[in-house]
Amino acid sequence: MTFKNGSSYEGHFLNGLYHGEGVHVYGESEKNNSLLKYQGMYHKGERKGKGQLFLINGDSYIGSFKKGTFNGFGTYIYSPNNLTKSKYTGMFWKGLEHGNGKEYFRNGFIIDAKWQSGQLEGFGEIIYPSDHPTSIK
């Protein structure tokens, strides 16, 4: 189904709302929200359950959704245009890193830590790449 704004949806409906498995390709008027495409589960019109979201900047997320946003376990993959970070794998809450997770950096460093509302919180560990001068061999 293609809409007037240029977006399209292919999947299941319930009472006129996206429900069950579907693919939504966002139209021009929706791209100001930086969304390109979502494929996965819907519940009464909201992204809920397992899915994958692609953003205009080249970033993507694969994992759990609740109330339309990242929630539960997932992986956020940064576009190659991000010269610092490559991905975050771990827990999310309300779209932010929250709980245990690992942030991977392009230089090989990894931060394995606990996060709260997108910020490092409490104990964490920096894992150095094997070729770093401070690595134990």
Side-chain angles (χ1 to χ4, degrees):
M1 171 180 284
T2 301
F3 302 96
K4 289 180 182 178
N5 67 1
S7 70
S8 65
Y9 175 76
E10 184 177 324
H12 299 277
F13 290 89
L14 177 67
N15 298 324
L17 299 172
Y18 303 167
H19 190 83
E21 192 168 352
V23 177
H24 183 174
V25 177
Y26 294 87
E28 287 303 316
S29 64
E30 297 169 301
K31 289 182 180 175
N32 61 353
N33 294 327
S34 74
L35 305 175
L36 189 60
K37 178 182 173 183
Y38 172 77
Q39 60 188 45
M41 299 303 295
Y42 284 93
H43 183 77
K44 296 181 181 177
E46 290 186 322
R47 294 183 298 261
K48 183 177 181 185
K50 301 290 182 198
Q52 189 167 7
L53 183 66
F54 300 90
L55 304 177
I56 289 175
N57 68 358
D59 292 359
S60 64
Y61 170 82
I62 186 167
S64 296
F65 288 82
K66 184 177 179 183
K67 295 186 178 179
T69 192
F70 316 153
N71 204 86
F73 185 81
T75 298
Y76 188 96
I77 301 168
Y78 295 91
S79 137
N81 294 333
N82 186 319
L83 301 177
T84 307
K85 298 177 182 180
S86 63
K87 70 180 177 177
Y88 168 84
T89 298
M91 298 303 293
F92 287 85
W93 182 65
K94 294 185 178 180
L96 298 170
E97 300 94 333
H98 193 89
N100 294 327
K102 291 182 179 181
E103 187 87 69
Y104 294 82
F105 293 85
R106 298 215 184 270
N107 63 6
F109 285 80
I110 301 169
I111 295 178
D112 185 356
K114 187 169 184 172
W115 305 77
Q116 184 169 349
S117 300
Q119 302 294 317
L120 289 168
E121 181 73 24
F123 180 79
E125 178 182 12
I126 297 175
I127 302 167
Y128 295 95
S130 59
D131 62 349
H132 192 271
T134 60
S135 294
I136 299 172
K137 299 187 187 236

